[in-house]
Amino acid sequence: MQIVLVSGLSGSGKSIAIAVLEDVGYYCVDNLPLAMLQPLVDYLKREGHDRIAIAIDARSGASFTQLPLIAEALRNQGADLRVIFLEAKTLSLVKRFSETRRRHPLSGDSVSLQEAIQLEREMLADIAPLAHRIDTSDLSASALRLWIKDLIGQDRSRITLLFESFGFKHGIPLDADLVFDIRCLPNPHYVAELRPLTGRDRPVQDFLEASPNAMALLADIRGFVENWLPCFIRDHRAYLTVAIGCTGGQHRSVYFAETLAAAFREREQVLVRHRELS
């Protein structure tokens, strides 16, 4: 049985993730009390369902701390279990709740929205390290749908290397495991004909490939990931997110993410994200 547990902060996109999973054939349950997780899995297994997705959030209360033990038990029963954790920056969440005029499930007369968000972060702090994390702060709904589809299509028996480009001026991705800063390299933004292009375009690639420093840094990052990847594999990591940042996330970081992905794709399971191009 394939089981996907979707968790994360309220307002981070869990309903979108569940809708995507339902569209691709998963039996989906939203806001399940954690105590009902094992009985539900047992029931659906008897009914012949082999792919289920369950959204669980902080509304499960104190029992939420039992999720790591329950997840381990499901894996010991032979389930192909993966956990997806969605998160976002506080300002992004505040904006979303303000725009939709929805009430945060932990807010109340004596708890402000920002206090509720911080409380929820603390409640879920032990879950994020067990999951593949996705920072939805700057993601459109359509981009998140594509990322979820890509993620569930990966072979769980192998580690997935995810190369993500981003712009430092928009903040470091919350879901990054390794972060490399390449702002020291020549910036195509200051070349008028290159400014409207991205790192996917040949003229930008030619510009960077003509820079010895850019090529040296690219080789160093590739070597670092190659050298340390076996350690992450031995640690039973299902995903490793390598974030490459430049100033705006349009030129240099995009080129580096694409080039590194191509280099590793021959022997590893690889995904590519471009946060500022989403």
Side-chain angles (χ1 to χ4, degrees):
M1 175 178 279
Q2 295 179 353
I3 304 173
V4 179
L5 300 183
V6 180
S7 187
L9 301 175
S10 301
S12 61
K14 294 192 298 297
S15 60
I16 293 174
I18 285 293
V20 170
L21 291 164
E22 189 170 34
D23 288 344
V24 298
Y26 281 76
Y27 186 101
C28 296
V29 179
D30 194 6
N31 190 25
L32 182 75
L34 196 56
M36 298 299 297
L37 179 55
Q38 183 68 63
L40 175 68
V41 170
D42 293 339
Y43 171 77
L44 292 177
K45 188 175 183 179
R46 290 195 302 271
E47 293 296 308
H49 296 281
D50 59 2
R51 296 202 300 170
I52 64 175
I54 302 166
I56 299 175
D57 58 33
R59 286 172 289 184
S60 292
S63 64
F64 203 86
T65 58
Q66 299 300 310
L67 182 55
L69 294 177
I70 295 173
E72 182 179 0
L74 290 172
R75 289 192 175 103
N76 290 338
Q77 294 166 21
D80 176 10
L81 175 71
R82 68 183 70 188
V83 184
I84 299 175
F85 188 89
L86 304 181
E87 55 190 327
K89 299 170 187 172
T90 297
L91 288 179
S92 297
L93 295 173
V94 169
K95 181 180 179 182
R96 291 172 188 173
F97 276 102
S98 298
E99 289 175 345
T100 60
R101 298 184 180 180
R102 291 177 54 226
R103 178 181 176 274
H104 191 285
L106 300 182
S107 64
D109 294 337
S110 61
V111 181
S112 70
L113 175 56
Q114 293 202 24
E115 289 171 340
I117 292 170
Q118 181 57 35
L119 176 60
E120 190 174 37
R121 285 192 195 280
E122 295 169 0
M123 293 176 64
L124 304 181
D126 293 336
I127 304 304
L130 306 176
H132 176 71
R133 295 154 55 213
I134 300 179
D135 179 1
T136 70
S137 304
D138 303 296
L139 279 188
S140 64
S142 59
L144 178 57
R145 291 187 188 99
L146 290 175
W147 287 19
I148 294 293
K149 287 181 180 179
D150 286 343
L151 188 62
I152 62 174
Q154 301 304 299
D155 180 358
R156 283 282 295 162
S157 66
R158 302 166 55 201
I159 193 170
T160 297
L161 264 176
L162 197 156
F163 292 98
E164 179 174 8
S165 70
F166 72 95
F168 272 97
K169 70 180 183 179
H170 302 297
I172 297 174
L174 299 176
D175 51 10
D177 296 305
L178 301 174
V179 179
F180 294 96
D181 183 352
I182 62 170
R183 287 175 292 181
C184 59
L185 300 178
N187 191 349
H189 175 80
Y190 296 112
V191 180
E193 59 270 25
L194 300 181
R195 185 173 301 170
L197 304 179
T198 76
R200 290 171 167 168
D201 295 310
R202 188 69 252 176
V204 173
Q205 296 168 6
D206 291 340
F207 174 88
L208 291 169
E209 290 170 2
S211 166
N213 285 340
M215 294 300 95
L217 184 52
L218 181 63
D220 285 346
I221 295 174
R222 176 176 175 177
F224 183 93
V225 176
E226 285 178 337
N227 290 338
W228 290 101
L229 183 58
C231 293
F232 288 100
I233 293 173
R234 286 196 295 271
D235 193 41
H236 304 291
R237 296 288 291 272
Y239 307 96
L240 179 67
T241 299
V242 181
I244 316 291
C246 60
T247 305
Q250 180 173 330
H251 299 104
R252 294 166 291 181
S253 60
V254 171
Y255 169 77
F256 268 55
E258 291 283 353
T259 304
L260 289 166
F264 282 90
R265 191 172 279 121
E266 295 179 0
R267 57 189 186 280
E268 302 294 345
Q269 194 166 223
V270 171
L271 292 175
V272 184
R273 296 177 184 163
H274 301 299
R275 191 182 72 179
E276 317 310 348
L277 303 186
S278 298

